[in-house]
């Protein structure tokens, strides 16, 4: 019987020191950057009273991000990702101090555009490098909770950041907003320096960046599920970007003004926060088709209905629902990418995903502006709110095949998974971990009298007994033979050497014909990292260690006992 996936355990994920550091850096940089954006846009508008200059400021960052995304992914796989994050933050601080000088002296605005473009370029490796680091700093059981945590933080920052920017504007000196952002990059650099994790991909320094990026693109193309999930991430981001263009017009349409726009943004962010708590339960479902496509409709359709809401309050309720759909798509798709793609190309793949997302953001923002001008607000919202999820329906055939493959795989592995569930050794392991072990295991039938583990050999695997009986014995340092209790099915042997990183402490022989699973040591170790050992497991392991340690005890000491 399948076990239910646990709820996201933010506290469990935050037990990991490096994840806490990444989260703090994200908060410091993200909150200050949103405040900086509000201050800079207001500064440009005050100088020009031109929406065109604001559009140029936003668009240049998107275009530069799109152009740099691929190379940024290569950097995240070519060098130590901690170092990439630290250097990126240092360069960002230097560039932002330069932008502060431009603002302080009212320099020509084209220089400000250059500064904004340069800042985007030096920051471009952050998403790929940090995204590739998260699976390295938390076990798989906490991966969804970690991604959900960052989704919550991002939503909170969307609300709080602009508020900080508004307060800074009241001070009347926009340069302070830019300087605070520069200082946040310094803080982020110090936090990244404190990371203990060391991780890099397979892109070798000195190799051709274009060739190495191409290998990441090829990895994405070869993984059908990852490619389809990327499509949904792109559609999800396209809707979010077009909403940034459409919501001000919606606020005006509903007579809400600037305050109404802020309230709509806050409502969308609030929806993102309240849904993050169920993300891990959703990732345990085998109905990927229903979840992904349903969440995309949940994000888009309320956006369209908001035009007919009649009031800002009603539109805010619809935006809460839209925020729920957005985070479900984001967390589910991004977590699945992290789990399924090879770690050595993950940075390049995420860099490619970022390029596609930014390209969709540019195109949909332009499309949203053009639709507003050409066909009016109702049709503009209809095209985005209904057209995008309808595009998502194109991915249903592939998603259904994935669902079918997952169901067939689960059915095939069910007998093994059921056996593993009965072992106290793996108590508390998530269903996904048990299925991974079941898939990694080699099933074999061993005749009576065969030795499967020999004392003194390297510890390379865990053996799980499905049927039969195993005889266990050891020889002391003095050559005295010691009989140990037999192991009956369902049971296991070989865990002590793996747990203690030691050679085999006993010899195990089949007492009769046995059916066994052989699980490689690396997979077993990963399973332990992904689950908290149960008290019964620790007690039993201690008892077995105590018994088998007799094998190393000299005969004189045994006599004294």
């Amino acid at each position: 019987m399948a076990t239910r996936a646990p709820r996201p355990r933010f506290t469990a994920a935050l037990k990991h020191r490096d994840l806490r550091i990444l989260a703090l850096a994200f908060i410091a940089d993200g909150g200050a950057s949103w405040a900086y954006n509000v201050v800079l846009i207001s500064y440009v508008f005050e100088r020009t009273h031109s929406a065109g200059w604001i559009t140029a400021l936003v668009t240049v960052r998107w275009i530069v991000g799109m152009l740099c995304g691929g190379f940024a992914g290569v950097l995240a796989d070519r060098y130590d990702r901690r170092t990439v994050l630290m250097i990126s933050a240092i360069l960002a601080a230097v560039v932002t101090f330069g932008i502060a000088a431009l603002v302080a002296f009212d320099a020509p605005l084209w220089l400000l555009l250059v500064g904004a473009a340069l800042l985007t370029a030096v920051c471009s490796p952050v998403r790929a490098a940090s995204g590739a680091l998260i699976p390295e700093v938390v076990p798989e059981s906490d991966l969804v909770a970690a991604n959900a945590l960052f989704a919550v933080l991002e939503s909170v920052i969307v609300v709080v950041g602009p508020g900080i920017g508004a307060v800074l504007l009241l001070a009347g000196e926009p340069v302070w907003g830019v300087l605070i952002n520069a200082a946040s990059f310094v803080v982020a650099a110090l936090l990244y320096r404190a990371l203990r994790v060391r991780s890099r991909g397979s892109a070798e320094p000195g190799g051709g960046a274009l060739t190495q990026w191409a290998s990441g693109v090829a990895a994405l193309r070869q993984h059908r599920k990852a490619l389809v999930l990327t499509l949904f991430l792109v559609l999800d981001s396209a809707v979010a970007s077009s909403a940034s263009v459409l919501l001000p017009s919606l606020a005006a349409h509903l007579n809400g003004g600037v305050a109404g726009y802020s309230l709509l943004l806050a409502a969308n962010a609030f929806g993102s926060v309240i849904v993050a708590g169920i993300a891990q339960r959703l990732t345990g479902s085998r109905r990927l088709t229903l979840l992904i496509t349903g969440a995309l409709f949940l994000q888009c359709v309320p956006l369209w209905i908001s035009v007919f809401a009649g009031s800002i309050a009603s539109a805010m309720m619809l935006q809460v629902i839209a925020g729920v759909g957005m985070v479900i798509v984001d967390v589910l798709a991004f977590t699945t990418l992290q789990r399924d793609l090879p770690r050595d190309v993950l940075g390049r793949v995420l860099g490619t995903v970022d390029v596609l997302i930014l390209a969709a953001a540019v195109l949909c923002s332009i499309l949203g502006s053009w639709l507003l001008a050409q066909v009016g607000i109702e049709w503009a919202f209809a095209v985005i709110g209904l057209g995008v999820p309808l595009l998502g329906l194109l991915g249903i055939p592939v998603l259904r095949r994935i669902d079918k493959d997952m169901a067939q795989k689960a059915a095939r592995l069910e007998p093994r998974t059921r056996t593993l569930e009965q072992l106290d050794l793996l108590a508390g392991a998530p269903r996904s971990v048990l299925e991974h072990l079941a898939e990694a295991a080699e099933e074999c039938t061993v005749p009576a009298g065969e030795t499967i583990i020999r004392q003194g050999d390297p510890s390379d695997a865990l053996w799980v007994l499905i049927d039969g009986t195993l005889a266990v014995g050891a020889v002391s340092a003095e050559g005295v033979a010691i009989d140990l209790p037999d192991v009956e099915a369902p049971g296991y042997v070989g865990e002590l050497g793996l747990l203690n990183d030691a050679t085999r402490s006993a010899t195990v022989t089949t007492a009769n014909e046995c059916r066994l699973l052989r699980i490689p040591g690396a997979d077993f170790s990963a399973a332990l990292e992904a689950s908290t050992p149960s008290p019964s497991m620790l007690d039993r392991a201690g008892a077995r260690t105590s018994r088998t340690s007799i094998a190393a005890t000299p005969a004189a000491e045994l006599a004294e006992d």
Side-chain angles (χ1 to χ4, degrees):
M1 183 177 70
T3 57
R4 297 177 65 183
R7 296 178 183 272
R9 302 171 298 165
F10 294 136
T11 53
L14 286 170
K15 288 191 303 183
H16 305 284
R17 175 183 177 276
D18 281 352
L19 184 73
R20 295 197 302 271
I21 291 174
L22 287 172
L24 287 173
F26 182 81
I27 292 170
D29 177 29
S33 293
W34 267 96
Y36 154 85
N37 287 333
V38 170
V39 168
L40 199 61
I41 287 173
S42 298
Y43 169 76
V44 171
F45 188 76
E46 184 179 346
R47 282 189 59 179
T48 66
H49 297 285
S50 167
W53 272 103
I54 294 175
T55 302
L57 184 65
V58 173
T59 304
V60 73
R61 291 187 300 203
W62 280 344
I63 292 175
V64 171
M66 184 172 60
L67 294 175
C68 293
F71 183 67
V74 172
L75 290 177
D77 277 347
R78 179 182 283 185
Y79 303 105
D80 176 60
R81 288 158 180 158
R82 165 189 170 272
T83 303
V84 169
L85 289 170
M86 188 168 58
I87 292 177
S88 174
I90 292 171
L91 293 176
V94 173
V95 173
T96 310
F97 279 121
I99 293 174
L102 295 176
V103 171
F105 294 103
D106 289 330
L109 289 179
W110 67 267
L111 286 175
L112 206 58
L113 293 181
V114 172
L118 189 57
L119 180 59
T120 301
V122 299
C123 289
S124 59
V126 171
R127 181 174 170 86
S130 59
L133 269 185
I134 290 175
E136 302 284 349
V137 301
V138 298
E140 185 177 345
S141 59
D142 293 331
L143 185 56
V144 177
N147 286 324
L149 172 67
F150 280 92
V152 169
L153 291 177
E154 186 169 11
S155 298
V156 171
I157 286 170
V158 168
V159 178
V160 175
I164 295 173
V167 172
L168 292 171
L169 286 174
L170 292 176
E173 292 294 339
V175 69
W176 285 109
V178 184
L179 287 172
I180 288 175
N181 194 35
S184 76
F185 285 121
V186 174
V187 172
L190 293 173
L191 287 168
Y192 291 139
R193 187 177 184 276
L195 288 170
R196 292 174 180 166
V197 65
R198 298 294 184 272
S199 168
R200 52 163 294 179
S202 60
E204 292 297 329
L210 186 60
T211 301
Q212 291 172 344
W213 180 33
S215 66
V217 175
L220 179 60
R221 189 174 61 247
Q222 291 166 5
H223 287 71
R224 184 178 60 180
K225 178 166 42 170
L227 192 59
V228 173
L229 291 172
T230 297
L231 167 66
F232 280 95
L233 277 174
V234 167
L235 293 176
D236 165 83
S237 300
V239 174
S241 299
S242 60
S244 66
V245 174
L246 297 175
L247 286 183
S249 298
L250 176 63
H253 176 72
L254 299 175
N255 299 316
V258 176
Y261 172 58
S262 299
L263 289 172
L264 292 174
L265 281 179
N268 188 279
F270 179 70
S272 303
V273 171
I274 63 174
V275 75
I278 66 170
Q280 190 166 350
R281 294 179 66 109
L282 296 179
T283 57
S285 172
R286 305 195 194 284
R287 299 183 177 180
L288 198 63
T289 304
L290 178 63
L291 282 175
I292 290 284
T293 55
L296 189 61
F297 273 90
L298 197 65
Q299 177 189 5
C300 297
V301 174
L303 183 66
W304 167 58
I305 299 176
S306 297
V307 179
F308 310 102
S311 69
I312 287 292
S314 300
M316 286 175 63
M317 295 177 64
L318 291 166
Q319 288 307 305
V320 170
I321 298 173
V324 167
M326 180 180 68
V327 165
I328 291 175
V329 176
D330 259 355
V331 173
L332 184 60
F334 195 70
T335 300
T336 306
L337 285 176
Q338 289 174 318
R339 282 176 169 170
D340 290 358
L341 289 167
R343 298 279 175 87
D344 62 336
V345 297
L346 186 56
R348 279 166 284 176
V349 171
L350 294 182
T352 302
V353 172
D354 272 351
V355 170
L356 296 174
I357 286 174
L358 286 168
V362 172
L363 292 176
C364 274
S365 296
I366 294 172
L367 176 63
S369 297
W370 183 83
L371 288 171
L372 281 173
Q374 298 298 318
V375 297
I377 189 170
E378 292 183 3
W379 278 104
F381 273 74
V383 170
I384 300 296
L386 298 179
V388 170
L390 289 176
L391 282 176
L393 295 179
L394 297 176
I396 283 184
V398 176
L399 289 179
R400 292 186 66 179
R401 287 198 296 272
I402 294 172
D403 284 347
K404 183 179 179 181
D405 292 344
M406 290 174 64
Q408 290 176 344
K409 175 182 172 182
R412 175 172 54 84
L413 297 176
E414 180 60 27
R416 295 184 182 181
T417 306
R418 193 163 52 245
T419 298
L420 296 176
E421 282 180 332
Q422 299 176 50
L423 305 179
D424 58 350
L425 182 68
L426 298 172
R431 179 74 177 188
S432 60
V433 171
L434 294 176
E435 289 180 347
H436 173 75
L437 289 177
E439 186 174 23
E442 175 188 355
E443 186 170 343
C444 55
T445 300
V446 182
E450 294 288 328
T451 298
I452 61 171
I453 291 177
R454 192 176 304 277
Q455 184 177 350
D457 284 352
S459 299
D460 59 349
L462 173 76
W463 290 86
V464 176
L465 180 63
I466 303 174
D467 290 311
T469 303
L470 296 174
V472 185
V475 178
S476 74
E478 300 292 332
V480 177
I482 303 165
D483 289 327
L484 296 168
D486 291 345
V487 175
E488 304 286 345
Y492 53 88
V493 291
E495 83 286 0
L496 296 181
L498 297 173
L499 288 170
N500 300 321
D501 193 22
T503 57
R504 298 301 193 186
S505 59
T507 296
V508 180
T509 306
T510 53
N512 46 40
E513 184 177 88
C514 295
R515 192 154 60 95
L516 297 142
L517 294 176
R518 182 186 182 278
I519 299 175
D523 294 283
F524 171 68
S525 298
L528 287 186
E529 290 177 4
S531 58
T532 303
S534 65
S536 60
M537 170 196 162
L538 296 175
D539 290 344
R540 180 163 179 169
R544 287 161 71 108
T545 300
S546 176
R547 289 197 299 268
T548 56
S549 65
I550 297 175
T553 305
E557 294 182 21
L558 290 174
E560 290 177 5
D561 291 340

